[in-house]
Each structure stands twice: as structure tokens, then as C-alpha cells.
Amino acid sequence: MKISLKIKLILLVICIFSIVANAQNLDWLNQYNIIWDSQSDNSAASMPCGGGDIGLNVWAEKGELLFYIQRSGSLAENNQYLKLGRIRLEMTPNPFAGKTFKQELKLKQGFVEIQAQSQANGKPLNATVKVWVNIKDSTIYVDVDSSQNISVDAAYENWRLEDRDIPNNLSRRPIFSMEAYPGKITLSKDTISSQNNSIIFYHRNPDNKIIPEVLIKQQGLEKYKDEIVDDLKGRTFGGAMLGTNFKTANQTTDKYQVTPYKAWHLISTHPAQKHQLRIVTHIAQTETIDQWRTKLNELIADSANNIENKRQATQSWWKSFWQRSWISINPDKPDPSSKPWRIARNYNLFRYQLGCNAFGEYPTKFNGGNFTVDGHVIGAKGKNFGPDWRDWGGGVFTAQNQRLLHWPMLKAGDFDAILPNFELYRKALGGSRARVKAHFGHDGAVYSEYISVPGVAIGAGWGWEGGSRNRGTEVPFGDPRADGAQGYNSFVEPGVMANNCIGYHWESQLENAYMIMEYHRFTGADISKYMPFIENALIFFDEHYRLREKMRTGKELNNNGKLVIFPSTSCESYRGAKNPSDVLAGLKAGLESILTLDDNILKLRDKKYYRQFLNSIPDFAFDNVNGDKTIKPAESWKRYQNVECPQFYPLFPFNRFDLQGKDSDYMQTFRNTWKHGNFPKNMVISWHQDGIFYARMGMTEQAASYNIKKLDDSPRRYPTFWGPGHDWVPDHNWGGSGMIGLQEMLIQTIGKEIYLFPAWPKDWDVNFKLHAPYQTTIEGQLKDGKIQSLTVTPESRKSDIKLIEFK
């Protein structure tokens, strides 16, 4: 029987409508929910839950429900990023005592649900426990519903019970900015009390703290102290645990893993089938603790009001979050044993983790985010440490790692979640400007690779008096030599960090300035408050390297009228570099972007200046290897270390070349560079970006193979708790680089052009929605190598779509 063309068209329309409806109602997302049918062994086998700026690690162990609480901004006086505490829930009779158990992360609604069944009073005892976070005010709710009356014992557990001096060993890794400090570092105790049938808990930073005061003195910045933001002064973080029909009870002591703790208990006033627990959290910088308490009391009073409305508003937020964008591979064939299906699931699982800190005061941290657990159960460096331990610091953000969490937010449309990263650079401008004025005597700002709100350098990287000037190298103060200076000159230049990895490593300020301008290009949003950072980040290189060349030769520019970027470094790998490719790419991208902005948004210089600056940037350096043209990481360098590939930064993150048109010849140059490169290849852990580079070079087979490894399941119970790798668990720059790799396989955006399926395997079916510059979204379905539907919004952008032929 032949089907008429009209019927075929009707069926096609129905099919497309069904695809769109399924995407919008989020039915596709249910297949990615994580479901466990047994309890966990320890906190390493926990499940993330959160919202706003809260992260919870939720797990059931030995018949009890537990979860850690972490909130963005919980920074102690020593800059350590602390948990707010741990909650333990015990029910009597206990529904968790039976063999029926189900713990599920419900992605669409954004919460964790546990269902369990046991026997009590000669009949089944069924219970459902829901853990969720109110997006608006970061209050945590625990709802218990059971088929029989039960009693609930809720304990707030804390291990910071006494002031503690932090030994000068691995114990200071969470205080990375003060690592190797020869003086005493103390973490003051928390304050916990039972009052008015609630448990009040908080940590208040004492006035006699050392950060940033010691760093300001160390770096000779006392003159500029008032220009440097102190984000730790008067900072208090904590909250209250309470619930309807709960009363305060006893206090107990015990040990979890290797960490002794004390527990303050709330118990239900009578057995019931419904119980609700609330943990209200609050963070603020205040002159007095009474000011902090006043606001906490307001939040406590509000936490009991309109709870169902808050629940619905939170679930609506998560629904809109998932409707912004998605990637779903082989969605019609859900199969955890299928690697393509699995990496799309993990892409979405990890995006949920990032979404849990969408409104953070600080950016999500690459080394665990808000989901770290007891160091002891992770092992490696964390062995014998408790829940507050993480490698690579708390209030310090390593820029090369952090950026990988934020680049994928542009194509994902998570424009709220990217803002905390921009705020970090805006707040740090005062200290970064002070460093240039004090040490270099010219305009601009210099940001360390390890950045914090005060904008000063980390102490260990700068060099301690009477201590270590360089990680792993003891150099007495007074001897200005350090490994970090070798290859440049015999002495550490004033203002430059005496560190063999990050001295002269200033590319990241260019990258983050460019990221903000890309955010503007994607959204059209006002970025005027970030322009002082953007302009200072760029101006620094012009001012600094003109002055350095004049000191060497008497002229600001070379004989070709170009800047000479020396001394410098190409990432951490090519030390003593001249005209490094990553910096050149960043300068070109940043200057071209700033020239597209409205004239009236510029604060410091005009477009004539920036055009002249752009014209002074030298070209990339190329080489010939066995007859193949390659791009060099720099014009020259003194030594090689580490395992980065900055010669590919012109591709990503700086978008200098595309796959077709005028740049197509360059793609072969990059492929040649990869072919002949002596750098380590196909390292999957942590921040390694091979999958992104493969996609940008149009190497489909290699991109697919690498990103399958990158986004595959972690060795832990929760699939996206990767690490430790180079960093810590869960390794968020591992997930971020994987997200970027998958996005770049689907869509690449250079200028106004949108390249579709530039490195996508023909046999991977996919439903997707991603964002592109100029407030554009691309939503489509690919099935059996054919495009089933494609919607570009606004429609005028359809003409900018470039379909890449499948390979």
C-alpha cells in the first residue's frame, strides 16, 4: 500500500511535535536518574543533592540517613572551605532495617528520594524520605512520610570542637594560600548550642586572623591595604536545625571514619506518620555576631511559611534549568552498558552538580565543588583526614582548572551559574591593581594563577621569609635565587612569584576577560561592571612588556613594531618563553572582542588605543617537522615541564581558527602539531583537554574515543564523582572538560558561523539543544545519520548554520 505525500507530511509533523513535546516535558531526563537498591558503605558512596549555593552528600549507612552540608562562602579565617556540618537521621521503628531500599536522584525535580520497607508491629512499614534545598534561601528540608507512626531522632554533628593549630604538612593543603608558612596557623572552634527546641551552629572568623593581613605585609602592599577586599573579616557561617513537633534532647560523642565528633540531638515529640526537619543556613560578613543572629532568626521564622509554594518554586526552577539545554545520545535505547548513552547521562549528571551552585557567592570549586567527603575514604593524600580536607585549597581558585567549569555554561545556557566566576575577578581587581602599582610602576592589573578575592599572590608561591620560596624547594630568605627564576635571570624579579610553575603565568586573566566578553556575545547582557577588570587585564600586557623591552633595548617594540612578550611562560609547561602562543591568542581574542563593544562602555582607554595595541601583537611561531608545518608553543623557551598543550589554545579557548573557509589550511597545521608533538597524549584525568582539541580539529574518531573515556563512569558509586586525578574528588574540571568536548563535537561557534556536527559520529543518534552567540538556540534531532528536526531561534540565524559532512 502506498502512502500519499500528504500523509507522510502529517506523520512527519506529528513526529517532530512528539520530539519537541518530549524535550519540553523532560521525559527524556528520567532515564538518567541514578537509582541505588542498597545502602552505602561510607560517605564516598554518597549522592549529590542541592540547589542555590548548597551541596549535600546524601547516603544511607547501617540503617541511618546521613548528609554533609556545604555552602558557597563557608570560608574560615585561614581561608579553609569548611562543611557546615553533618546530619544523621534515625527512625524508630526503622524502615531502613529491611531488605527493600531505593535511593534515587530525581533530576527533573532536583531532589533525592529514599523509599524503604521493613516490618513493624506485624505488618509492613513503608517510608519515603525526601531531601531538597529551597533555591531561594538555601534552606534544607527533610520530609519523612511513613505508613505507621514512627519517631525520629535527628542529630547535628560537628567535629570542630576546639581551637586547632594546623601542622605544617599535608594538613595545610586545604589552606593552600598559606602552605609552608613558617608561622602558626589556627582554626578556631565552632559554636553550637541547643535553644528554643533548635540547634544553633556557626563559625565566626576571629578578628586576629592572618589572611589577607600576612600576605599584604609579605608582598609589601601595606600602602594599598584599603583597596584590597577582605572577604574573611567578620564572616560568619552556620545555621539552625529545627522542625515542627521536634524538641532538643541529649548530646553524644562518637567517631566517623577517623574524625571524632559531637552530636546535638532533636527528637520528635511524639510518633507520627509525617515529620519535617528544616536546616536553615546563613552566611554574612557582619560587625557583630548579634547582627548575624538577627538575620538568622528572620530566616528561621520564614522557613516554616508557605513550604509547599517553596517546593513548587524550587521544582519549577529545576524544570527551567533542564529546559535551557540538553544532550541526549541514543535516547530511544536507554542502556547503561552503551558507552555513548552513558556519557550523555554523565554529561547531564555533572551539569546537575554545577547547577547546585548556580547562585554561589563564590564559583564552584574545581577540586570537589560542594561535594567533598571524608578525605580518609578517598585515600591518596587524604588518608587520615576528615570531611573538611581537600587538596589544592579552599578560598584559592586555580584559574587554569576553574575555567573548564565555566566555558561549558555558555553553550548550556547556564548564564546565572557563570556569574560567580566573573564576580571573583571583579572583586580581586583592587589587590591585582595594587600589585602592579607597587611592584611594576605602570598601569594594568596582574592576577595570579591561584586567585582569591583579595587579589594578592598566594604566600607559598611568593616566598616565605625563613621558609620555602618555591614548592618543594627550601631556599633561605635573603637568597633571592629560586627555581622559578631560572631561564629568565639569576634573581626573582620584584613582583613576580618565586615559583617554578606559575611565575609569569598570567594567561588566565586574558582568558577570563575574553570569557566575559563571550558571555556578552552569547546573551547581550550588560557587562559594564566588569569592564575595569577586562581593560586592566589587557592593558597590563601592553604596559608591562613595552617597559621590559625598553629596559633591554631602549625601544618599546621590536624592529617590526611588535611587542616582545618576554620573560613569560606558555602555561606552566614551556618556561622562559618568548611570545607564547596561549598569551598571543588571548591578547588577539580579547582585543578583537573589546573592539566590537559599544564605545561608551570603555572605562580606561578608547578604541584607537586598542586597535594600535592589536596591531602590535606578533604572529604565532611556526615550525617545519619532516616537511609538515606545525605551530610552536612559543617563539622560544628555556625548558619544558608539566604536560599541558598551550600550542592548541588558539583553537580553544580563544577561537582563532575554524574548520572551514579561510582557516581550513590551519587545521592541517594543528593536526600536524598533534602528530609530531612530544607532549603526553590521551591523558584523560582531570583538566586534560585532548577531547576538546580533537573536536576543534575535526578529528571525529579520536574525539569520540577520547570523550567516551573522559565522561565514562568514575570508579565510585556515583558516576560523576571522578578523581582524584591531579586534583580532588569529585574532580569538577574533569567533568567540565568532558562537557566542553561533547559540546564541541556537536556545535562550534566562530564569529557568526555555527558549525553543526563538526566532529559527531554518524552512528550516534542525538537529541540536543544548545546555545550560540547572539541569543541563539539550536535544537535538533539526528537519527540514523539524518537530521530529523532542526529549530534555530531566532530564525534569521539559520543562514549562519554550516553543516559539516559526517565522517
Side-chain angles (χ1 to χ4, degrees), residues 112 117 172 206 512 632 674 776:
V112 167
Q117 183 186 82
R172 291 194 182 178
N512 281 278
K632 297 168 67 176
W674 191 266
T776 303

Side-chain angles (χ1 to χ4, degrees), residues 181-241:
Y181 174 56
K184 184 171 74 170
I185 299 178
T186 301
L187 177 64
S188 61
K189 66 181 179 180
D190 287 6
T191 300
I192 306 102
S193 61
S194 301
Q195 50 187 272
N196 300 324
N197 291 323
S198 63
I199 310 298
I200 307 297
F201 55 91
Y202 62 86
H203 183 100
R204 180 168 177 82
N205 292 345
D207 293 335
N208 60 337
K209 59 187 181 63
I210 61 174
I211 297 178
E213 290 85 351
V214 166
L215 301 177
I216 290 172
K217 182 178 179 181
Q218 176 201 39
Q219 295 162 38
L221 300 174
E222 293 94 335
K223 178 181 176 180
Y224 303 98
K225 184 178 179 180
D226 292 342
E227 299 174 24
I228 296 170
V229 176
D230 183 351
D231 58 329
L232 302 181
K233 182 179 180 180
R235 182 171 290 269
T236 307
F237 48 91
M241 182 173 76

Side-chain angles (χ1 to χ4, degrees), residues 28-311:
W28 61 271
L29 192 57
N30 294 332
Q31 62 186 293
Y32 297 147
N33 287 356
I34 297 300
I35 300 174
W36 296 337
D37 61 5
S38 62
Q39 299 183 36
S40 299
D41 293 333
N42 53 50
S43 57
S46 57
M47 179 179 287
C49 179
D53 59 357
I54 287 271
L56 310 176
N57 295 81
V58 182
W59 78 102
E61 182 180 348
K62 298 178 181 177
E64 297 173 325
L65 174 66
L66 299 98
F67 57 88
Y68 281 118
I69 306 171
Q70 190 137 38
R71 183 175 176 186
S72 180
S74 301
L75 293 176
E77 64 272 18
N78 60 13
N79 221 17
Q80 191 171 355
Y81 192 18
L82 302 180
K83 299 286 186 186
L84 294 185
R86 182 176 57 229
I87 306 299
R88 186 184 302 260
L89 210 69
E90 183 179 3
M91 295 169 280
T92 306
N94 191 359
F96 285 14
K99 294 182 179 180
T100 302
F101 179 89
K102 179 184 177 184
Q103 179 173 340
E104 181 175 6
L105 173 59
K106 292 182 173 290
L107 290 168
K108 184 162 71 171
Q109 297 88 359
F111 67 86
V112 167
E113 179 181 87
I114 301 176
Q115 296 177 323
Q117 183 186 82
S118 65
Q119 292 289 318
N121 304 314
K123 55 184 179 181
L125 169 60
N126 297 293
T128 299
V129 181
K130 296 179 181 179
V131 183
W132 58 283
V133 179
N134 181 18
I135 292 290
K136 184 178 180 181
D137 65 7
S138 301
T139 295
I140 303 154
Y141 292 85
V142 183
D143 300 323
V144 180
D145 288 277
S146 59
S147 59
Q148 299 183 40
N149 288 337
I150 60 173
S151 298
V152 174
D153 182 326
Y156 168 78
E157 298 178 352
N158 189 290
W159 45 92
R160 297 185 295 269
L161 306 172
E162 301 291 340
D163 292 353
R164 176 174 173 261
D165 291 339
I166 312 297
N168 199 349
N169 54 31
L170 281 175
S171 301
R172 291 194 182 178
R173 290 296 286 179
I175 316 168
F176 191 62
S177 56
M178 301 297 288
E179 189 181 29
Y181 174 56
K184 184 171 74 170
I185 299 178
T186 301
L187 177 64
S188 61
K189 66 181 179 180
D190 287 6
T191 300
I192 306 102
S193 61
S194 301
Q195 50 187 272
N196 300 324
N197 291 323
S198 63
I199 310 298
I200 307 297
F201 55 91
Y202 62 86
H203 183 100
R204 180 168 177 82
N205 292 345
D207 293 335
N208 60 337
K209 59 187 181 63
I210 61 174
I211 297 178
E213 290 85 351
V214 166
L215 301 177
I216 290 172
K217 182 178 179 181
Q218 176 201 39
Q219 295 162 38
L221 300 174
E222 293 94 335
K223 178 181 176 180
Y224 303 98
K225 184 178 179 180
D226 292 342
E227 299 174 24
I228 296 170
V229 176
D230 183 351
D231 58 329
L232 302 181
K233 182 179 180 180
R235 182 171 290 269
T236 307
F237 48 91
M241 182 173 76
L242 68 162
T244 305
N245 297 322
F246 278 87
K247 63 181 181 180
T248 53
N250 58 323
Q251 299 172 15
T252 58
T253 59
D254 207 336
K255 177 189 285 188
Y256 185 74
Q257 299 302 322
V258 296
T259 307
Y261 68 87
K262 186 173 183 178
W264 286 256
H265 293 260
L266 290 178
I267 58 173
S268 51
T269 56
H270 58 274
Q273 289 180 271
K274 291 184 179 293
H275 300 273
Q276 186 174 75
L277 191 70
R278 309 192 300 278
I279 300 98
V280 180
T281 67
H282 178 44
I283 300 177
Q285 288 183 263
T286 59
E287 292 185 6
T288 69
I289 187 62
D290 287 341
Q291 292 172 321
W292 182 85
R293 283 177 174 271
T294 297
K295 180 61 178 179
L296 176 65
N297 288 334
E298 293 176 8
L299 293 168
I300 289 171
D302 183 68
S303 68
N305 299 329
N306 304 312
I307 294 175
E308 190 53 37
N309 290 342
K310 292 172 181 175
R311 185 199 314 272

Side-chain angles (χ1 to χ4, degrees), residues 363-642:
T364 299
K365 283 192 63 62
F366 77 97
N367 53 340
N370 287 341
F371 299 111
T372 55
V373 296
D374 302 79
H376 186 70
V377 298
I378 299 302
K381 292 181 182 178
K383 191 174 182 181
N384 298 320
F385 291 112
D388 287 327
W389 197 93
R390 72 171 74 210
D391 206 3
W392 300 103
V396 171
F397 298 80
T398 310
Q400 281 293 299
N401 306 69
Q402 289 292 143
R403 65 198 183 92
L404 295 170
L405 280 65
H406 296 96
W407 279 118
M409 293 177 181
L410 293 178
K411 285 192 171 73
D414 296 331
F415 304 125
D416 43 10
I418 205 171
L419 295 177
N421 187 57
F422 301 165
E423 285 296 298
L424 175 65
Y425 283 84
R426 184 187 66 81
K427 293 173 185 176
L429 181 59
S432 300
R433 286 276 296 115
R435 290 177 59 196
V436 176
K437 288 185 284 187
H439 301 139
F440 301 134
H442 57 69
D443 285 343
V446 65
Y447 286 73
S448 295
E449 174 64 11
Y450 301 111
I451 179 179
S452 59
V453 164
V456 299
I458 64 169
W462 182 268
W464 295 114
E465 181 175 356
S468 172
R469 292 179 64 91
N470 179 17
R471 189 178 73 187
T473 304
E474 293 297 324
V475 181
F477 187 77
D479 177 359
R481 298 178 61 83
D483 283 352
Q486 299 308 304
Y488 311 109
N489 43 49
S490 298
F491 298 91
V492 180
E493 182 183 355
V496 177
M497 298 173 71
N499 182 282
N500 64 351
C501 291
I502 60 171
Y504 296 99
H505 188 1
W506 300 322
E507 176 274 345
S508 294
Q509 66 189 60
L510 297 174
E511 186 168 345
N512 281 278
Y514 177 58
M515 186 187 296
I516 295 173
M517 289 186 281
E518 281 292 274
Y519 161 81
H520 172 72
R521 196 164 73 98
F522 270 71
T523 65
D526 180 14
I527 58 170
S528 56
K529 70 176 178 177
Y530 301 118
M531 289 308 300
F533 157 64
I534 292 170
E535 292 192 74
N536 274 289
L538 289 163
I539 289 168
F540 170 82
F541 285 86
D542 189 39
E543 294 265 337
H544 190 75
Y545 285 106
R546 282 177 179 267
L547 180 59
R548 290 300 172 272
E549 183 68 3
K550 188 174 183 179
M551 290 166 63
R552 287 190 293 266
T553 69
K555 298 186 299 181
E556 292 185 343
L557 303 175
N558 68 12
N559 292 334
N560 296 318
K562 301 295 183 181
L563 279 174
V564 179
I565 310 295
F566 179 85
S568 189
T569 184
S570 196
C571 284
E572 296 181 19
S573 294
Y574 298 87
R575 304 291 291 158
K578 178 181 178 181
N579 292 337
S581 292
D582 56 339
V583 173
L584 298 184
L587 286 169
K588 291 180 179 184
L591 290 166
E592 287 179 4
S593 293
I594 208 168
L595 288 169
T596 67
L597 302 177
D598 292 340
D599 290 1
N600 59 10
I601 201 174
L602 300 179
K603 309 289 185 182
L604 304 179
R605 306 285 173 93
D606 60 18
K607 285 190 175 178
K608 179 181 178 181
Y609 165 80
Y610 289 116
R611 277 191 290 269
Q612 292 173 340
F613 187 0
L614 178 61
N615 290 334
S616 75
I617 306 302
D619 197 6
F620 301 112
F622 297 93
D623 202 354
N624 187 291
V625 181
N626 298 333
D628 291 336
K629 185 180 179 181
T630 62
I631 186 169
K632 297 168 67 176
E635 183 179 326
S636 62
W637 60 93
K638 299 293 185 181
R639 74 170 188 267
Y640 171 73
Q641 64 182 35
N642 213 327

